[in-house]
Amino acid sequence: MTRLDHDANIRPWVQAAEAVGATVRWLGFDPATSELDDLAPLLTERTRLVAVTGASNLLGTRPELPALASLVHDAGALVYVDGVHLTPHAPVDAGFADFYVCSPYKFFGPHCGVLSASPALLDGLRPDKLLPATDVVPERFEFGTLPYELLAGTTAAVDFLAGLGGAGEGRRERLLSSLALLETYEDDLGAELETRLAAIDGITLHGHAQRRTSTLLFSVAGWEPRAVAAKLAESGVNAPAGSFYALEASRHLGLGDTGAIRVGLAPYTNQSDVDRLVESIETLED
Ligand SMILES: Cc1ncc(COP(=O)(O)O)c(C=O)c1O
């Protein structure tokens, strides 16, 4: 478990561990750099699974997953990666993860969950299920009749992303190429936004990791985060305040349960959005 994660990749494991009497070990992160601490000292021959985020939805931090996964595998344990925040922002080859999950609604699709794992691994897991429901993998993990409209919507979302400028023969190539373009686009615009925000008096930026998504968390001196969010909304900027369910991370940063203001970029965010946000924040300071 890491303190960088969304509670969705923390609490279910804590509760599962309680249910079977397993020990939970916490991997912290450095509030100054937003980088995960060293995992190696936490691993023992009794470690079964390491749950880690692909990217923090609060700070954007992108842990070095392949290196982390190889440490975990050397210890004989499995890696479960929460890719909900990472997947919309970068091309991902999740081959290093035993389990990789993401949420299509984060990339223009419908509300359903996606889990990728090898059939052999899934075969060894026995979810609670109705007796007549099929036991074959992967349908064993579904609830009765499949949600066909959600599956169709997810396919359409992937097609849409693959069509956003991506080049290549097949859909996979076009998708990876589109996402690489989007990553560069968001990184460049995000870097400009960060530089401009950092130059404003009274702004504290909280995310400092070397590798991260274009997700920025900041506080404004003398302002409650929610008051800032309300002011920004008046200027047509949707930048909510809170911990965004990354409660452990928010507490670890000293921001308690209140959190701070988060802005994130998406494929549809453009220069005028960034200008409007920066100008609205500058007006706050007047
Ligand atoms: C990193 C991360 N993990 C998990 C979740 C929860 O995903 P869902 O809303 O699909 O349950 C979110 C949602 O914001 C997230 O950002």
Side-chain angles (χ1 to χ4, degrees):
M1 219 75 51
T2 88
R3 296 209 186 274
L4 200 54
D5 270 85
H6 186 286
D7 220 55
N9 200 27
I10 292 180
R11 220 53 55 189
W13 298 116
V14 170
Q15 288 161 4
E18 271 168 15
V20 298
T23 303
V24 169
R25 290 172 188 267
W26 290 90
L27 182 64
F29 67 92
D30 182 344
T33 64
S34 316
E35 305 280 2
L36 275 181
D37 294 342
D38 186 9
L39 173 65
L42 290 188
L43 296 170
T44 74
E45 71 286 350
R46 293 171 65 86
T47 307
R48 300 291 296 275
L49 182 132
V50 173
V52 62
T53 192
S56 156
N57 66 310
L58 194 67
L59 295 165
T61 305
R62 291 179 58 178
E64 287 294 341
L65 294 176
L68 188 141
S70 89
L71 269 181
V72 177
H73 290 145
D74 287 349
L78 298 170
V79 185
Y80 184 104
V81 175
D82 173 354
V84 175
H85 185 66
L86 176 61
T87 310
H89 293 292
V92 181
D93 183 341
F96 54 82
D98 299 290
F99 302 96
Y100 186 93
V101 289
C102 63
S103 298
Y105 81 95
K106 300 288 190 188
F107 47 85
F108 310 120
H111 284 83
C112 59
V114 172
L115 178 142
S116 152
S118 79
L121 191 54
L122 292 177
D123 203 39
L125 300 174
R126 312 225 64 90
D128 291 341
K129 59 178 272 305
L130 303 184
L131 198 54
T134 180
D135 200 32
V136 301
V137 164
E139 284 79 7
R140 180 193 293 175
F141 295 89
E142 304 288 352
F143 300 119
T145 305
L146 292 175
Y148 298 111
E149 70 284 16
L150 301 182
L151 300 179
T154 300
T155 303
V158 172
D159 286 340
F160 173 73
L161 282 172
L164 282 181
E169 281 288 300
R171 187 174 67 168
R172 180 181 161 79
E173 288 72 28
R174 287 198 303 282
L175 181 63
L176 289 173
S177 142
S178 273
L179 284 165
L181 289 174
L182 291 176
E183 185 183 23
T184 306
Y185 175 75
E186 289 181 15
D187 282 353
D188 290 350
L189 203 52
E192 179 197 320
L193 174 59
E194 184 173 3
T195 306
R196 290 174 66 184
L197 285 179
I200 302 174
D201 276 349
I203 297 279
T204 304
L205 284 156
H206 299 289
H208 303 287
Q210 286 281 332
R211 280 180 83 231
R212 60 198 144 105
T213 60
S214 56
T215 302
L216 300 177
L217 185 76
F218 63 92
S219 307
V220 184
W223 284 79
E224 278 295 313
R226 287 174 75 151
V228 176
K231 277 283 181 195
L232 291 176
E234 285 170 18
S235 313
V237 176
N238 182 17
S243 72
F244 304 94
Y245 275 48
L247 197 57
E248 298 290 343
S250 183
R251 290 177 179 171
H252 195 60
L253 286 167
L255 298 172
D257 296 6
T258 310
I261 304 129
R262 185 183 68 171
V263 291
L265 304 187
Y268 47 78
T269 314
N270 61 26
Q271 186 70 49
S272 74
D273 297 320
V274 167
D275 293 344
R276 202 164 69 253
L277 168 62
V278 173
E279 282 153 21
S280 311
I281 298 282
E282 284 169 343
T283 318
L284 279 183
E285 293 304 295
D286 285 340

